[in-house]
Each structure stands twice: as structure tokens, then as C-alpha cells.
């Protein structure tokens, strides 16, 4: 293992890790840190490994559960004896080691005796063999052992001697029984077990015929190869399907890469069905379709103007356009409101100024403001002259009011009073201001006469 | 001395190794993700892990498959201290790992994970957690 200290590839951005919190440390196939490797395994001790191998071997030999259980007990006793003897020998606390060892052996012997004296177990051991030709063959000598506890169910013996190696002649008979039958005896193997049995016979055949290979296998044993071929075909079919899917994806990628920006934008907006139709078109067809769509969109296109910039719905999309339009409407309303406030403020200022300048002049505040605005629009000289003249008129008007007031006339039938009554009546009738009504009354013959009378008085 | 027939030998199922090697010689080790860790940072994280986590994971997808039984931060300083201590006691000790790193071990509780470790499917360790990644200015 080599630990990379500093890499020279310039593309990778390197980082220093700080304030690290480790939540867990995982066992992994390959870690980011190349030095972080397993250096030592403290596994089950050799006895455990041996025990597992012992159990596996018994199972492979087709031993009955009962027998396996018995053998397992004997294994444990042996191990316990060994542990006991080891601890006696190595412990300084045990002074009389010989006596302790004797005691341990005695206990061991007693335990073993209780096991082997179990007659049921002995019978079981005796039964776990199939007698053929006067020989007791164990389950491991047969290719088909559906029930290890019932030797009568065992079929297809592979050895000529109990526990021996596969015999070419005996295996040949088993192959024949698996196929067309040996001397008319065709063995019956459940379909679910057949592949396993064939595999076992095949292994025995190869072991028994060491000078031959896979190609020499009898046809019966090759059948499973055909099954393997079938499996290969399934794998090929899956591969083919996967290949076709990849081809389709590649074609789609190439198609998208061939589109220009307008075509891509058009394609993105299409439904699934329309997309499929679009994909089937040739280049000219796509061009024509997109141009027609753009033309139609332009005709239907809605626009707004914001800060002098024209924004098209087709360019920003319906969602963004709706948002911008709503914002524009709000902005327009806000601007109109601000304009009105400004106008109102200017008007109020003019009215206040006009009222100050001409408090005694007839007319409404608005009218006086309009007059003042007109005067202010004049050149400076004309403006001053006009203001001076208006001021004089206003003072004259003030004087006339004052003089009349000073006279102390309270005659309700005076021309002045009559004029005021007429003006009030006009104002009420026509819903106008008193000033407007007064002016209107003065324009009438009666009003004009009364006005002249009031001045004369 | 009694023989206990029913006694089952404890299966140790322990795995040991470097959780991280952060420095070789005087150079910091860059991992496959371009990350480097100063010894002080790794040491701090290792102690925090022992105090607060002690959890073994499986491929960062499953936690609690084993328990921590050993953890030692093998800094140069610690290696020197061990050497000095033993030498002073008259032991002809030698220790120079040539690197700094975090070494530890787990008692594996999960049978499937243990089988995978024994089989060699999990030959490495990887620390999982969080921290700040500070970009380094390249030369």
C-alpha cells in the first residue's frame, strides 16, 4: 500500500479539515484515507474454525441430525478437557496438578460414557447407512439423499466401497440411470432436486475419470450446461434490452444536440406526444414548424413597457410576464397617486398664496389660484404689473367693504344684503360656492342693478 | 478444577487497524477527496469520538454493527513518550512508526458484517462525521 501524501493533479481543490466531529467509524471496501486499513483480525480461535469445518463435513457426508448432535457434544467435551488441562498446567494456584488432571479426565470419561450409552443414539448411528452387497454405505456415497435419516430414500451410489472415492463403473451406472436408464431402471428424481443431483454426479464423474475433461462429459450430464446456455440467453436478452435503451438515450441526446436554440425552446414547451412527432420530423419540417410557431406567438404576443423598455410575453414566458404586468399596474397606480398628491399640493400652495394676496377679491380660492398661476407664467415685468394691479383692486374692494361696515347699516333690504341673499340662493340651488354664485348673480340684470345701487350708497 | 461442558468459548470477533493516517514523515496525507487533517484536529476528534460515540458503522449506511474496544492516537509526541518511559525502565525499546495516525479496534456484533470482514470485503476503515472544510491556497 502506498499512502498519497500530496497529489500533483492541479484540478483537484484541496481542503484542510477543522472542528471535526466523528459520529461513527465504518468498515468499508475502500476508504478515502489510504492508510486506514485493517491490520489485524481477532477471530474465533482455531478450535472454532475447526468446529465449523467439522460441522460442514458432517453435513456434506449426509449425517443425520441426531448423529451430528452427538458428534458435536463429543467435540465440545474434547475441547473442554483440553481447556481444563491447559488451565491446570498454567495456573500457579493449582498446587497438586496431577490430582486436578485426574479429576478432569474422570469427569470427561463420565460425560463420554453417558453419551455413548444412549441406545437410541447407537441405533440411529447403525441405521444411518444403506446396506448394498453386504456393505454399509453412508449417505455421502450417494448422489441423491432426500432424507439423511432414511437410507431407503438414498439413490445413485457413486462409490464401490463405503466412504471411498467415486468409482468409474458405478458412476457410469448412475449416469445411465439418470438418462435413458440402466438395464431398464431409470431413476426418478424430483424436478426440483435434479440439477443438484446432476451436478453431484458430474463432479463424481470428473473425479472418477481423471484423464477426461468437461468436453467428454456424457450427454446426460451436459444437460445442465444447456440450462446454463439458457441462462446465458436470458442474460444476453437483458444485455440486448439494456443496449437498446442506451441506444435510444444516445439517439435522443444526439437529436437534442442537433437542435438550434429556437428549436430547443420550442421543443421544451411541447407535450409528450408533440415531442415524439417533432422528433420524427426532418430538419426542414422542424424549421418550418418552429417558424410558424414563432410567427403565431409574435401575433399573439402581449407587451408591456417598463422604464422605456418593451417586454414581450413570448420572451419572458407567461409566468414572468404576468408577474411583471401586475407590478407594472401597481407602479402606474402609485405614480398616478404621487402625481395627484403633487398637483394637489401645488394647487393648495397657490390657493393659500392667492388668498393672502387677494383676500377681498371675489371668486373662489381655486379661481384665485388659477389667476395667480396665469400671472406667474407671465414675463417678470408683466407679472409684477399684474400683481400690483390685482393688489390695488383687492385693497379697493377691502375699503368698500370697510366703509359699508363702518356705516353700520343693518338694513336687510339694502342692495348689498339683497345681493348676498340672491347669491346664497343661487349657490344653494346650483350647488356652487358662494363666490361663484355671487359672480353669477352680478351677471344678471337684477344683480347688476343692485350692485350699482350698493356702490352708490 | 471443574470442566464445564456447556461452556461456550467466547468468540472474539475483533478487528483492528488504522482509522486514519494523517501524516507520513512531516507531510500531511491527502485523502482521495483532497482532504488533509492536522494531527491536533484528528487527536481532538478521536478523543471526542471515544467519549461520545464509540460506534462502528457499515459503509456509512448502517450504524451500531460493533463497539469500540481500542483507540489510540499515535502522535510522534506519544511515540517518543512511550519510548522514553520504557528506556528509563531499562527496556531496549524501539518505536518509530514514521507516521502519525489514529489506531483502533472494534468488537463486531453483527454476524453479516463480521463475515464480510473475514472474507476481505471490508479491508479498510473510514471515519464518518462532520467538520469545516477550509480551502487551501495552492502553490
Amino acid at each position: 500500500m502506498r499512502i498519497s501524501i500530496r497529489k500533483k493533479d492541479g484540478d483537484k481543490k484541496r481542503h484542510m479539515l477543522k472542528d471535526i466531529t466523528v459520529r461513527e467509524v465504518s468498515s468499508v471496501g475502500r476508504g478515502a484515507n489510504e492508510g486506514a486499513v485493517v491490520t489485524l483480525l481477532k477471530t474465533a480461535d482455531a478450535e472454532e474454525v475447526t468446529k465449523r469445518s467439522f460441522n460442514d463435513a458432517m453435513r456434506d457426508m449426509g449425517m443425520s441430525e441426531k448423529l451430528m448432535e452427538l458428534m458435536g457434544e463429543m467435540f465440545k467435551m474434547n475441547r473442554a478437557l483440553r481447556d481444563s488441562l491447559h488451565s491446570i498446567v498454567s495456573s500457579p494456584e493449582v498446587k497438586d496438578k496431577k490430582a486436578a488432571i485426574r479429576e478432569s479426565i474422570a469427569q470427561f470419561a463420565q460425560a463420554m460414557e453417558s453419551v455413548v450409552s444412549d441406545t437410541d443414539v447407537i441405533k440411529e448411528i447403525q441405521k444411518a447407512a444403506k446396506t448394498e452387497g453386504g456393505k454399509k454405505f453412508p449417505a455421502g456415497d450417494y448422489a441423491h439423499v432426500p432424507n439423511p435419516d432414511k437410507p431407503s430414500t438414498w439413490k445413485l451410489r457413486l462409490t464401490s466401497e463405503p466412504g471411498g472415492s467415486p468409482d468409474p463403473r458405478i458412476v457410469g451406472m448412475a449416469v445411465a440411470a439418470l438418462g435413458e436408464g440402466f438395464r431398464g431402471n431409470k431413476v426418478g428424481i424430483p424436478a426440483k432436486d435434479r440439477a443438484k443431483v446432476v451436478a453431484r454426479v458430474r463432479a463424481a464423474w470428473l473425479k472418477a475419470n481423471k484423464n477426461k475433461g468437461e468436453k467428454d462429459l456424457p450427454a446426460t450430464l451436459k444437460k445442465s450446461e444447456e440450462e446454463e446456455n439458457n441462462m446465458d440467453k436470458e442474460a444476453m436478452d437483458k444485455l440486448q434490452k439494456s443496449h437498446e435503451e442506451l441506444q435510444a438515450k444516445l439517439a435522443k441526446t444526439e437529436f437534442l444536440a442537433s437542435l438550434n436554440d429556437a428549436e430547443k425552446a420550442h421543443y421544451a414547451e411541447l407535450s409528450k406526444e408533440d415531442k415524439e412527432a417533432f422528433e420524427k420530423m426532418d430538419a426542414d419540417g422542424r424549421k418550418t414548424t418552429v417558424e410558424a410557431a414563432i410567427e403565431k406567438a409574435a401575433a399573439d404576443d402581449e407587451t408591456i413597457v417598463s422604464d422605456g423598455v418593451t417586454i414581450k410575453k413570448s420572451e419572458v414566458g407567461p409566468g414572468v410576464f404576468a408577474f411583471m404586468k401586475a407590478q407594472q399596474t401597481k407602479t402606474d397606480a402609485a405614480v398616478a397617486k404621487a402625481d395627484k398628491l403633487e398637483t394637489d399640493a401645488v394647487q393648495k400652495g397657490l390657493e393659500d398664496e392667492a388668498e393672502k394676496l387677494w383676500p377681498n377679491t371675489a371668486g373662489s380660492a381655486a379661481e384665485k389660484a388659477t389667476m395667480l398661476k396665469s400671472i406667474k407664467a407671465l414675463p417678470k415685468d408683466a407679472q409684477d404689473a399684474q400683481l400690483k394691479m390685482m393688489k390695488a383692486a383687492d385693497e379697493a374692494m377691502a375699503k368698500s367693504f370697510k366703509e359699508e361696515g363702518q356705516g353700520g347699516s343693518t338694513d336687510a333690504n339694502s342692495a348689498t344684503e339683497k345681493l348676498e341673499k340672491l347669491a346664497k340662493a343661487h349657490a344653494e340651488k346650483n350647488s356652487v360656492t358662494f363666490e361663484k354664485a355671487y359672480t353669477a348673480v352680478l351677471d344678471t340684470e337684477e344683480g347688476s342693478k343692485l350692485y350699482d345701487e350698493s356702490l352708490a350708497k | 478444577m471443574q470442566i464445564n461442558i456447556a461452556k461456550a468459548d467466547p468468540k472474539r470477533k475483533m478487528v483492528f487497524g488504522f482509522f486514519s493516517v494523517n501524516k507520513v514523515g512531516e507531510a500531511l496525507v491527502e485523502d482521495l477527496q483532497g482532504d488533509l487533517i492536522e494531527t491536533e484536529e484528528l487527536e481532538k476528534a478521536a478523543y471526542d469520538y471515544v467519549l461520545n460515540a464509540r460506534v462502528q458503522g457499515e459503509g456509512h449506511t448502517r450504524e451500531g454493527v460493533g463497539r469500540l474496544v481500542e483507540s489510540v492516537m499515535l502522535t510522534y509526541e506519544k511515540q517518543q513518550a512511550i519510548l522514553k518511559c520504557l528506556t528509563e525502565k531499562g527496556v531496549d525499546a524501539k518505536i518509530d512508526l514514521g507516521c502519525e495516525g489514529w489506531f483502533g479496534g472494534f468488537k463486531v456484533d453483527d454476524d453479516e458484517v463480521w463475515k464480510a470482514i473475514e472474507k476481505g470485503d471490508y479491508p479498510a476503515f473510514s471515519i464518518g462525521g462532520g467538520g469545516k472544510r477550509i480551502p487551501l491556497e495552492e502553490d
Side-chain angles (χ1 to χ4, degrees):
Chain A
M1 178 199 69
R2 291 180 62 82
I3 300 173
S4 170
I5 295 168
R6 185 187 175 103
K7 292 183 179 157
K8 295 296 181 190
D9 81 45
D11 295 338
K12 184 180 279 185
K13 186 72 183 169
R14 304 188 313 147
H15 295 81
M16 185 66 76
L17 298 186
K18 300 273 186 191
D19 298 338
I20 307 159
T21 303
V22 179
R23 191 184 66 253
E24 49 88 22
V25 177
S26 267
S27 287
V28 292
R30 189 186 181 200
N33 186 284
E34 292 168 287
V37 293
V38 169
T39 56
L40 179 66
L41 290 184
K42 292 264 188 199
T43 183
D45 60 19
E47 288 287 338
E48 284 297 326
V49 176
T50 309
K51 176 71 190 308
R52 276 209 296 272
S53 306
F54 183 63
N55 289 338
D56 290 346
M58 287 194 294
R59 200 165 287 111
D60 287 347
M61 289 168 69
M63 281 189 184
S64 69
E65 289 297 323
K66 191 91 177 174
L67 184 55
M68 282 175 61
E69 192 182 328
L70 173 68
M71 298 284 276
E73 284 298 309
M74 292 169 77
F75 188 97
K76 277 198 276 187
M77 287 177 196
N78 273 299
R79 188 171 56 190
L81 175 65
R82 189 210 59 182
D83 287 349
S84 179
L85 297 180
H86 182 265
S87 64
I88 291 168
V89 171
S90 59
S91 173
E93 294 171 7
V94 181
K95 302 300 178 192
D96 189 350
K97 295 187 188 301
K98 282 185 180 175
I101 289 171
R102 277 198 295 273
E103 186 183 348
S104 285
I105 292 172
Q107 288 178 347
F108 174 75
Q110 191 179 356
M112 288 294 282
E113 193 178 9
S114 70
V115 170
V116 297
S117 63
D118 186 334
T119 51
D120 287 344
V121 172
I122 298 300
K123 283 179 187 170
E124 202 61 45
I125 292 169
Q126 287 171 341
K127 277 171 63 181
K130 186 172 182 178
T131 305
E132 288 189 67
K135 297 174 184 173
K136 293 181 183 296
F137 290 90
D141 289 347
Y142 293 83
H144 184 49
V145 183
N147 186 347
D149 296 332
K150 286 188 179 176
S152 60
T153 63
W154 305 351
K155 294 172 184 172
L156 299 177
R157 180 158 57 84
L158 302 169
T159 63
S160 55
E161 294 296 328
S165 297
D167 181 278
R169 188 180 64 84
I170 305 289
V171 172
M173 288 160 60
V175 171
L178 263 180
E180 297 302 319
F182 177 70
R183 293 178 185 168
N185 293 323
K186 184 174 179 179
V187 70
I189 305 289
K192 66 180 177 59
D193 297 333
R194 186 170 177 83
K196 192 177 171 185
V197 171
V198 169
R200 193 154 185 190
V201 175
R202 187 196 299 121
W205 190 92
L206 289 168
K207 199 171 176 183
N209 298 278
K210 290 192 175 3
N211 57 337
K212 294 180 180 175
E214 296 268 349
K215 62 179 175 23
D216 304 314
L217 281 168
T220 304
L221 302 183
K222 281 184 176 172
K223 276 186 180 174
S224 57
E225 287 184 3
E226 287 172 17
E227 289 164 12
E228 285 174 11
N229 287 339
N230 286 338
M231 288 173 71
D232 286 347
K233 187 175 179 306
E234 282 179 22
M236 281 300 292
D237 288 345
K238 279 185 184 172
L239 198 62
Q240 179 66 23
K241 193 179 174 191
S242 171
H243 177 69
E244 286 169 3
E245 287 172 357
L246 282 172
Q247 286 288 349
K249 282 183 183 173
L250 180 63
K252 184 83 172 281
T253 305
E254 286 177 346
F255 165 75
L256 290 172
S258 71
L259 300 181
N260 59 35
D261 289 346
E263 288 170 340
K264 279 179 188 166
H266 175 74
Y267 181 78
E269 295 295 322
L270 295 177
S271 65
K272 189 183 174 191
E273 291 76 16
D274 290 342
K275 276 182 179 170
E276 287 173 358
F278 191 74
E279 286 165 14
K280 288 173 184 168
M281 291 178 187
D282 59 15
D284 289 339
R286 289 201 298 265
K287 188 180 174 189
T288 308
T289 303
V290 172
E291 283 174 355
I294 290 172
E295 200 172 320
K296 184 174 184 306
D300 298 342
D301 211 1
E302 198 178 345
T303 61
I304 55 172
V305 177
S306 177
D307 287 338
V309 178
T310 302
I311 297 165
K312 291 181 179 177
K313 186 177 180 178
S314 61
E315 289 177 348
V316 297
V320 174
F321 187 81
F323 174 77
M324 293 181 78
K325 190 176 177 183
Q327 291 299 311
Q328 182 70 17
T329 304
K330 284 182 184 173
T331 304
D332 289 347
V335 168
K337 191 176 178 183
D339 285 349
K340 187 174 184 309
L341 286 171
E342 190 178 348
T343 305
D344 289 349
V346 170
Q347 178 69 15
K348 180 76 169 48
L350 281 171
E351 287 178 2
D352 290 347
E353 189 179 352
E355 279 298 328
K356 273 188 182 175
L357 288 170
W358 314 314
N360 305 304
T361 303
S364 66
E367 288 166 343
K368 289 179 191 175
T370 304
M371 175 64 77
L372 181 60
K373 192 176 177 182
S374 303
I375 292 170
K376 284 191 171 184
L378 295 172
K380 186 75 172 72
D381 292 348
Q383 192 181 127
D384 292 345
Q386 194 68 29
L387 285 170
K388 193 174 178 181
M389 193 168 72
M390 286 295 293
K391 181 73 179 170
D394 187 76
E395 285 172 356
M397 187 65 76
K399 191 178 177 183
S400 69
F401 287 150
K402 200 178 283 179
E403 283 170 353
E404 188 174 337
Q406 282 175 343
S409 173
T410 55
D411 185 357
N413 293 318
S414 69
T416 304
E417 293 295 333
K418 284 178 181 174
L419 269 173
E420 286 186 1
K421 279 183 181 175
L422 285 173
K424 281 179 183 173
H426 184 88
E428 284 177 9
K429 185 181 178 184
N430 298 293
S431 298
V432 294
T433 60
F434 177 79
E435 289 79 8
K436 274 194 174 179
Y438 201 96
T439 307
V441 167
L442 289 179
D443 287 337
T444 63
E445 188 180 348
E446 184 186 10
S448 177
K449 192 179 172 184
L450 285 169
Y451 183 67
D452 289 341
E453 284 179 12
S454 68
L455 288 178
K457 191 169 180 176
Chain B
M1 188 61 56
Q2 295 288 316
I3 295 177
N4 186 354
I5 300 294
K7 189 184 87 178
D9 275 359
K11 294 181 180 181
R12 284 183 268 188
K13 291 185 181 176
M14 290 181 187
V15 59
F16 298 84
F18 274 99
F19 295 169
S20 177
V21 173
N22 71 304
K23 188 185 270 189
V24 173
E26 289 306 314
L28 289 179
V29 173
E30 178 184 342
D31 73 11
L32 298 177
Q33 294 167 342
D35 294 334
L36 302 92
I37 312 178
E38 293 282 7
T39 301
E40 296 74 28
E41 290 291 335
L42 183 61
E43 189 173 35
K44 200 165 61 178
Y47 296 157
D48 180 72
Y49 169 79
V50 172
L51 287 172
N52 301 308
R54 303 187 291 277
V55 176
Q56 185 190 11
E58 181 189 12
H60 301 304
T61 57
R62 200 156 65 96
E63 293 182 6
V65 301
R67 291 164 288 159
L68 188 77
V69 293
E70 192 151 86
S71 173
V72 56
M73 186 64 205
L74 291 163
T75 62
Y76 289 139
E77 182 189 24
K78 209 170 283 173
Q79 292 171 41
Q80 287 301 313
I82 292 169
L83 185 64
K84 184 168 178 282
C85 170
L86 293 174
T87 305
E88 283 174 359
K89 297 287 180 189
V91 177
D92 183 20
K94 291 181 179 60
I95 180 169
D96 180 9
L97 298 177
C99 69
E100 290 185 307
W102 178 17
F103 183 90
F106 291 108
K107 165 84 169 75
V108 183
D109 295 318
D110 187 287
D111 287 340
E112 294 303 315
V113 171
W114 177 249
K115 280 180 192 167
I117 290 171
E118 274 193 311
K119 200 175 157 192
D121 289 344
Y122 290 145
F125 290 110
S126 176
I127 57 179
K132 292 175 187 167
R133 296 181 85 220
I134 316 293
L136 291 175
E137 283 190 1
E138 299 300 332
D139 298 334

